Amino acid sequence: MQIERPDVRYIAGVDEVGRGPLVGDVVTAAVILDPNNPITGLNDSKKLTEKKRELLAEEIKQKALSYSIGRASVAEIDELNILHATMLAMSRAVEGLSIGPDFVFVDGNRLPKLMMPAQSVVKGDSLVPEISAASIIAKVARDQEMLALDAQYPEFGFAGHKGYPTKAHFAALEEHGITPHHRKSFKPVQRILALKEL
């Protein structure tokens, strides 16, 4: 599928990581690539090995005209719901760019509130290089945060499951309860809270 690109100077791509996990912020990134300084190997971050993602993240940071990370906190996720928190984090990523983009491609089927024209692209992380770059930057940033959380709460195994609802994560929740970083609006976390109150 060919995505039609507008004839403008600065195009940003935006993607998010962390809508599904039970813990931590939702992290987004916006990237404006430099057409004169291409990066090979850009792809959906989920299709790359961890090592490849980390190498590409460094290359993107060095070569991109601008990149920015946005986030919405656990408190914002619980207050707004995950979809609205994700849109807020995406807006923040775009606002954080040092260059104002003329046009924005956003991964998915919804658009956050933006000041410039934008288009949502389903599976955009495989179709639009700027979105691929944003997915890599966001994924590496969030994974690093999960490693930091793992050091704080080793009994939860965050380094392995990255906060996603896995068997190991559920087992840790049942044994240890929740951390202050868990999303209380998510049903599996609510279930644990309800059990603890019994």
Side-chain angles (χ1 to χ4, degrees):
M1 186 175 143
Q2 201 61 37
I3 301 294
E4 204 172 309
R5 294 172 69 85
D7 185 18
V8 295
R9 190 167 180 195
Y10 297 121
I11 295 177
V14 179
D15 202 0
E16 57 71 30
V17 174
R19 276 175 70 162
L22 307 177
V23 71
D25 296 353
V26 62
V27 178
T28 60
V31 177
I32 300 174
L33 294 173
D34 182 352
N36 301 317
N37 207 350
I39 299 165
T40 49
L42 289 177
N43 201 339
D44 171 2
S45 65
K46 294 183 284 296
K47 294 178 181 166
L48 300 166
T49 63
E50 190 172 352
K51 181 134 180 63
K52 183 71 178 153
R53 269 199 305 269
E54 287 171 0
L55 290 169
L56 276 169
E58 283 313 306
E59 191 178 352
I60 293 161
K61 289 174 181 179
Q62 284 164 14
K63 290 184 175 178
L65 295 174
S66 181
Y67 76 92
S68 163
I69 291 173
R71 61 184 59 250
S73 68
V74 172
E76 288 172 323
I77 292 167
D78 287 342
E79 185 187 334
L80 301 170
N81 82 31
I82 186 62
L83 175 66
H84 289 98
T86 301
M87 294 297 118
L88 176 63
M90 284 181 165
S91 301
R92 286 172 175 165
V94 174
E95 285 162 15
L97 289 166
S98 58
I99 298 169
D102 303 302
F103 189 88
V104 180
F105 281 116
V106 179
D107 187 55
N109 59 3
R110 289 171 185 260
L111 287 173
K113 286 194 180 89
L114 297 170
M115 306 291 287
M116 66 290 293
Q119 180 186 335
S120 59
V121 183
V122 174
K123 296 196 168 31
D125 41 15
S126 302
L127 299 167
V128 179
E130 288 83 357
I131 295 179
S132 305
S135 83
I136 291 164
I137 291 277
K139 174 88 175 118
V140 169
R142 194 175 193 284
D143 282 357
Q144 285 170 347
E145 288 169 25
M146 286 296 107
L147 291 176
L149 215 53
D150 185 74
Q152 223 179 323
Y153 302 95
E155 66 277 15
F156 278 89
F158 291 131
H161 55 66
K162 306 293 192 287
Y164 281 89
T166 62
K167 271 186 184 166
H169 195 173
F170 286 138
L173 276 169
E174 299 211 352
E175 188 176 345
H176 304 289
I178 70 165
T179 71
H181 305 277
H182 275 91
R183 302 171 180 179
K184 295 186 184 72
S185 56
F186 277 41
K187 283 201 170 66
V189 179
Q190 287 177 348
R191 205 185 73 236
I192 297 294
L193 285 169
L195 286 174
K196 293 289 172 200
E197 282 168 16
L198 291 175

